[in-house]
Amino acid sequence: FILQMSCFYLVKSLTSACLNMYSISRLHHTTSAVFCYSKPRSGEKYTDPFQLGRRYLKGLYEDIRKELLISPIELKEMSEYYFDGKGKAFRPVIVVLMARACNSHYNNSRDVQASQRSIALIAEMIHTASLVHDDVIDDASSRRGKHTVNKIWGEKKAVLAGDLILSAASIALARIGNTTVISILTQVIEDLVRGEFLQLGSKENENERFAHYLEKTFKKTASLIANSCKAVSVLGCPDPVVHEIAYQYGKNVGIAFQLIDDVLDFTSCSEQMGKPTSADLKLGLATGPVLFACQQFPEMNALIMRRFSLPGDVDRARQYVLQSDGVQQTTYLAQRYCHEAVREISKLRPSPERDALIQLSETVLTRDK
Ligand code: GRG
C-alpha cells in the first residue's frame, strides 16, 4: 500500500511536471528567453542564500514599522510585536532573490526595484498577520520563544492587531498600483482563510485524507510563497513563462517547507522551535508523518478519527509515528517537491540569485527550526 501511495504521488507529480513542460514548450514559441539547463549552476561562488538575500533586505523591519505608524500606542505596540527580527524572514529572502533572478534573466539587471522590495515587506506582513490570528484560533501561548499576542493582550485585541497588520499590508499593496499584482496577492488572503478552514475539518475516508492534507498545505503555506514569487516576477519581467516558473518554484518550495515543519513537530525540541512540539497532535491534526504512520499501523485510524482527544492519545500517536517510517516518508516527499522547485528555477538564466534559490531549497530540507 505504501508503494502504491508513493507511485500514485510520483505519477501525480510527473503528470503535473509534464503539463508544466507542455505549457512552457507551447509558450516557448513566442519567447526565446527561457533556458532549459542540463547543468543548473552558474558556477559563481555564493555563500548562504539567506546571507545573500538579507543583503537586499537591510532595514526590512524598520520599513515595516513605518507602515504601522498607528495610534493608539497599544495597537501600535501589538502590531509591531513580531517585527523584531526574531523570525527567519524566509519569505522576504525568497522574494528578493526571486526578484533579482527574474531581473537578471530578463535584462541582466542586478537591481531590486522598489516595488519588488515592497512585496518582500508585504509578504512578511501577511505572514505575520496570519500568525497572530492562528495563535488566537489555536489558543497558543508561545511563538518564536516569546509569549503570543493573545496571551499578553487577550484574544479580542489580538484579532484586531492581526486585522491591522493585514490592512497596512493592503495599503502598501495598493500603493504599488499594479492591479495584476493586487489580485495575485489578494488570492493569498483567500487561500490562507480557506486553508485554515480546511484544517478545522477532517476527512473520514482514508484515501481522501492525503489530498485534503496537501490542499491545506498549499493554501496555508505555499500560496503566499508562490504568489509573492509570481508578483515580483510580474513586476520585473513581462514574460508569462517566467511568471509560471516563479510561481511553480514558490509553490514547490512552500509545500516542502510545510512538510518539514510537520516533521519538526515530531523531531525537534521546543527550545529549538520557540514553541511547544507535538503541537499538531494536541490540536487534533494528522499531518504527513501521522498519515504515513497510519499505513503501517492501521490502529492509528481510530485516534485520527477522534482527533487524539482521549487521554494518552497524543503520546500513543507520537510513539506510533516514531516507530514508523512516517518521518522519513514525509521528508522524502518534501525532497521530491524541492527537486521539482529546482527543476523549475533552473530554466532561468544563471545568476548568483538563481543559484541561491537552488541552494535555498536544500536548506528547507535540512533546517532544524
Ligand atoms: C488572512 C490574516 C489572515 C489569516 C486568516 C489564521 C489564518 C487565516 C491562517 C493561518 C496561516 C498560518 C499561520 C500558516 C502557518 C505557516 C507557517 C509554516 C508558519 C511558520 O513559518 P516560519 O517558520 O515562521 O517561517 P517564522 O517565525 O520564522 O516567521
Side-chain angles (χ1 to χ4, degrees), residues 170 173-187 231:
S170 311
L173 180 59
R175 207 185 299 131
I176 295 174
N178 180 315
T179 49
T180 307
V181 167
I182 292 173
S183 31
I184 290 169
L185 281 176
T186 44
Q187 178 63 49

Side-chain angles (χ1 to χ4, degrees), residues 61 82 86-91 124-138 143-144 162-163 165-166 188-197 199 219-222 224-225 254 257-258 261-262 273 275 367 369:
Y61 293 108
Y82 281 130
K86 291 207 172 120
K88 294 183 285 296
F90 181 72
R91 293 148 192 85
E124 190 65 359
M125 290 167 82
I126 296 176
H127 166 59
T128 306
S130 79
L131 296 182
V132 173
H133 281 182
D134 200 47
D135 288 340
V136 173
I137 293 170
D138 297 347
R143 171 172 299 278
R144 298 179 180 168
D163 287 345
I165 298 168
L166 194 60
V188 172
I189 300 172
E190 181 186 325
D191 286 344
L192 281 168
V193 174
R194 288 190 184 279
E196 189 68 26
F197 205 79
Q199 188 171 290
K219 292 198 161 120
K220 264 196 83 171
T221 307
L224 174 58
I225 302 173
F257 183 86
Q258 184 60 57
D261 215 62
D262 296 344
M273 296 300 281
K275 59 181 184 184
R367 76 195 177 98
K369 67 172 195 164

Side-chain angles (χ1 to χ4, degrees), residues 1 15 22 39 49 89 105 127 164 171 225 233 242 246 262 264 294 319 342:
F1 184 62
T15 316
Y22 170 71
K39 185 170 166 257
H105 174 83
H127 166 59
L164 217 130
I171 292 167
I225 302 173
S233 76
V242 172
D262 296 344
L264 289 173
C294 185
Q319 287 316 315
V342 169

Side-chain angles (χ1 to χ4, degrees), residues 34 94 162 192 224 308:
V34 171
I94 290 203
L192 281 168
L224 174 58
F308 318 107

Side-chain angles (χ1 to χ4, degrees), residues 118-364:
S118 293
I119 301 293
L121 267 76
I122 293 162
E124 190 65 359
M125 290 167 82
I126 296 176
H127 166 59
T128 306
S130 79
L131 296 182
V132 173
H133 281 182
D134 200 47
D135 288 340
V136 173
I137 293 170
D138 297 347
D139 193 23
S141 304
S142 59
R143 171 172 299 278
R144 298 179 180 168
K146 49 191 221 175
H147 291 304
T148 53
V149 176
N150 46 300
K151 277 298 139 196
I152 300 176
W153 286 280
E155 283 188 354
K156 290 180 184 173
K157 288 182 177 174
V159 170
L160 296 175
D163 287 345
L164 217 130
I165 298 168
L166 194 60
S167 69
S170 311
I171 292 167
L173 180 59
R175 207 185 299 131
I176 295 174
N178 180 315
T179 49
T180 307
V181 167
I182 292 173
S183 31
I184 290 169
L185 281 176
T186 44
Q187 178 63 49
V188 172
I189 300 172
E190 181 186 325
D191 286 344
L192 281 168
V193 174
R194 288 190 184 279
E196 189 68 26
F197 205 79
L198 278 173
Q199 188 171 290
L200 295 177
S202 42
K203 288 277 172 227
E204 295 192 0
N205 180 331
E206 257 185 87
N207 297 326
E208 289 174 14
R209 266 190 213 137
F210 223 103
H212 182 264
Y213 168 64
L214 286 179
E215 188 185 351
K216 183 222 74 178
T217 300
F218 169 75
K219 292 198 161 120
K220 264 196 83 171
T221 307
S223 171
L224 174 58
I225 302 173
N227 283 301
S228 307
C229 285
K230 184 173 177 183
V232 287
S233 76
V234 165
L235 290 166
C237 163
D239 186 347
V241 179
V242 172
H243 308 160
E244 183 63 15
I245 292 169
Y247 178 87
Q248 289 299 333
Y249 173 84
K251 183 186 96 174
N252 284 286
V253 161
I255 293 175
F257 183 86
Q258 184 60 57
L259 291 172
I260 296 300
D261 215 62
D262 296 344
V263 163
L264 289 173
D265 200 41
F266 287 94
T267 58
S268 192
C269 59
S270 47
E271 290 74 30
Q272 188 76 18
M273 296 300 281
K275 59 181 184 184
T277 49
S278 295
D280 294 330
L281 290 176
K282 289 175 196 154
L283 290 168
L285 305 177
T287 59
V290 173
L291 297 179
F292 281 118
C294 185
Q295 290 169 8
Q296 254 172 297
F297 299 105
E299 52 272 44
M300 285 187 83
N301 214 19
L303 279 74
I304 295 174
M305 296 289 280
R306 59 178 189 251
R307 293 182 79 105
F308 318 107
S309 57
L310 293 185
D313 277 1
V314 166
D315 287 338
R316 271 178 69 205
R318 189 178 163 79
Q319 287 316 315
Y320 277 127
V321 167
L322 297 176
Q323 281 165 36
S324 75
D325 58 6
V327 160
Q328 292 90 318
Q329 294 257 29
T330 311
T331 308
Y332 174 65
L333 189 59
Q335 261 167 22
R336 293 221 316 260
Y337 280 102
C338 279
H339 287 160
E340 187 58 19
V342 169
R343 203 182 68 77
E344 288 290 339
I345 201 70
S346 299
K347 293 170 187 167
L348 295 186
R349 285 197 179 90
S351 67
E353 288 75 23
R354 186 200 71 166
D355 290 353
L357 286 169
I358 292 173
Q359 191 174 326
L360 188 139
S361 69
E362 284 161 28
T363 69
V364 163

